[in-house]
Amino acid sequence: MKTSQFPSVRIPYQRLLGYHEGFLRELRKCKPETRGTYERSLREFFRWYPSDKKFQFRVVDVERYKNHLTKKRKLSPVSVSTYLTALRRFCDYLVDINALKGNPAKEVKGNKRPQEHSRETITAQDVRAIYQAIDRVDERGFRDFAIIKAMVVCGLSEIELIRADIGDLKTISSSMVFYVQGKGKTTKDTAVIFPNDVKEAFQGYLAFRKEADGDEPLIMSAGNRTRGKRMTTRGIRERVNLYLEKAGVKNGKSRRITAFSLRHTAATMMADNGATVEELQSRFRIGTANTAMLYIKKISDDQ
């Protein structure tokens, strides 16, 4: 359907909420992280929709929403694209149930990907300060130390850590090998060899879980009410942010220094040591050469 052919459709807010509930039920077929991304991204639309009062599912309305995300909410280009993708998927559902004749969100493109990473790296001194901020006196402290070691040294992401089971750690010829299921993957088919310091960090943590089975979560919640459950990406980010604050690393840059900065730092350090694009892609499970090239470009720009 061409842009000019999208008919105006004004859907009452309460009815739209009902459609939203049906959409969320459909999302149960998706992977948990995909479902979570769409659900979180649509919250902004459902906050904005009743205040806008003139959204009629036309291309111009979606463009107005995009302008709201970009100029009023001041979201990053990547976040704007994610929010629009979620709206696009929701509109597909509305078309499927005959609430809309066509999907106007398909006519509005997301913002171009940035030519540099939106998160900053941290220094070796910052890394040492973070390690020192972790009190390794109980299971939680040893777990958090292992998480941060794996992110800084091996560039593991939150999703790779929370998907892991204890059995994904193997000892092969005295080396500890971690089998990873990366973003967008359905199998744990990528091997990451842990250096000795990361190996020792996980051995220290797993000493608290000697009776655990191989199919139990590797990174487990230690809270009183959630103990035994797999830790969430949000949980890991909250713990990492705790130590970033405690170590004084944030330094007023809360939107630029995040849990991703640890992985970002690992890749930048590797690029600084002369890694090729292909080596960065392989080591950090990066999908495209263009994304990996951003690390090499950053090193060139800083020199």
Side-chain angles (χ1 to χ4, degrees):
M1 182 179 291
K2 294 182 179 180
T3 299
S4 60
Q5 294 178 333
F6 284 102
S8 299
V9 179
R10 178 63 185 170
I11 302 177
Y13 185 60
Q14 290 302 319
R15 185 186 303 168
L16 196 66
L17 287 176
Y19 291 152
H20 182 227
E21 290 178 3
F23 176 63
L24 294 181
R25 287 193 293 271
E26 283 291 308
L27 287 181
R28 290 174 186 170
K29 303 172 185 176
C30 300
K31 296 177 182 178
E33 56 268 23
T34 302
R35 183 170 66 246
T37 297
Y38 284 140
E39 188 170 353
R40 287 190 301 273
S41 300
L42 278 174
R43 287 173 190 160
E44 181 62 28
F45 177 72
F46 278 90
R47 281 192 291 264
W48 177 79
Y49 185 86
S51 63
D52 180 66
K53 296 181 180 179
K54 52 186 179 181
F55 195 94
Q56 298 178 50
F57 289 91
R58 301 165 300 181
V59 173
V60 66
D61 299 312
V62 179
E63 289 174 339
R64 193 170 64 255
Y65 176 57
K66 177 183 176 181
N67 188 61
H68 160 78
L69 297 173
T70 303
K71 296 187 176 179
K72 187 171 182 179
R73 292 283 284 107
K74 300 185 184 303
L75 297 180
S76 70
V78 172
S79 294
V80 171
S81 294
T82 300
Y83 281 38
L84 289 177
T85 297
L87 180 59
R88 208 171 290 127
R89 181 72 183 271
F90 179 53
C91 288
D92 275 338
Y93 171 76
L94 295 179
V95 171
D96 289 343
I97 64 172
N98 296 318
L100 294 180
K101 297 295 185 183
N103 184 345
K106 286 185 176 180
E107 304 296 321
V108 180
K109 295 182 179 180
N111 290 334
K112 292 183 178 179
R113 295 186 67 85
Q115 297 305 303
E116 60 180 18
H117 288 284
S118 61
R119 297 293 181 262
E120 292 185 5
T121 57
I122 57 178
T123 65
Q125 183 178 350
D126 290 333
V127 172
R128 288 192 294 271
I130 295 168
Y131 291 159
Q132 292 169 3
I134 305 171
D135 295 324
R136 282 178 284 167
V137 296
D138 57 13
E139 179 184 337
R140 180 176 292 178
F142 275 85
R143 178 203 66 191
D144 293 349
F145 185 72
I147 288 172
I148 289 176
K149 270 283 186 181
M151 296 176 84
V152 172
V153 179
C154 299
L156 293 177
S157 65
E158 300 104 317
I159 192 64
E160 289 171 339
L161 287 165
I162 66 167
R163 283 174 170 174
D165 298 325
I166 290 177
D168 296 328
L169 281 179
K170 309 285 186 184
T171 300
I172 302 175
S173 300
S174 77
S175 295
M176 182 175 280
V177 180
F178 177 45
Y179 287 91
V180 171
Q181 180 185 344
K183 184 177 180 181
K185 299 286 186 177
T186 58
T187 58
K188 297 173 180 178
D189 56 1
T190 302
V192 177
I193 299 176
F194 281 172
N196 285 336
D197 55 341
V198 181
K199 174 182 175 180
E200 291 168 2
F202 274 89
Q203 286 174 333
Y205 166 47
L206 292 175
F208 289 89
R209 301 179 58 193
K210 291 180 180 178
E211 305 301 321
D213 295 328
D215 58 356
E216 288 188 23
L218 175 62
I219 306 299
M220 189 175 72
S221 175
N224 292 331
R225 290 185 297 177
T226 57
R227 181 168 178 79
K229 295 183 179 180
R230 195 176 297 274
M231 205 168 180
T232 64
T233 52
R234 179 178 178 180
I236 287 182
R237 288 171 187 171
E238 287 177 350
R239 297 303 294 175
V240 171
N241 279 321
L242 170 70
Y243 298 115
L244 290 173
E245 295 280 4
K246 191 175 178 181
V249 173
K250 284 259 188 185
N251 194 27
K253 300 176 181 178
S254 60
R255 289 181 66 87
R256 298 282 291 177
I257 303 292
T258 67
F260 182 75
S261 295
L262 304 184
R263 172 180 163 89
H264 186 34
T265 296
T268 301
M269 288 180 175
M270 187 170 169
D272 195 25
N273 287 327
T276 65
V277 168
E278 292 77 15
E279 288 170 336
L280 287 166
Q281 279 188 267
S282 175
R283 176 71 177 271
F284 297 99
R285 286 77 60 199
I286 298 173
T288 67
N290 286 340
T291 301
M293 190 64 197
L294 291 178
Y295 290 106
I296 294 176
K297 180 178 181 297
K298 174 178 172 56
I299 298 302
S300 299
D301 291 345
D302 290 346
Q303 289 177 347

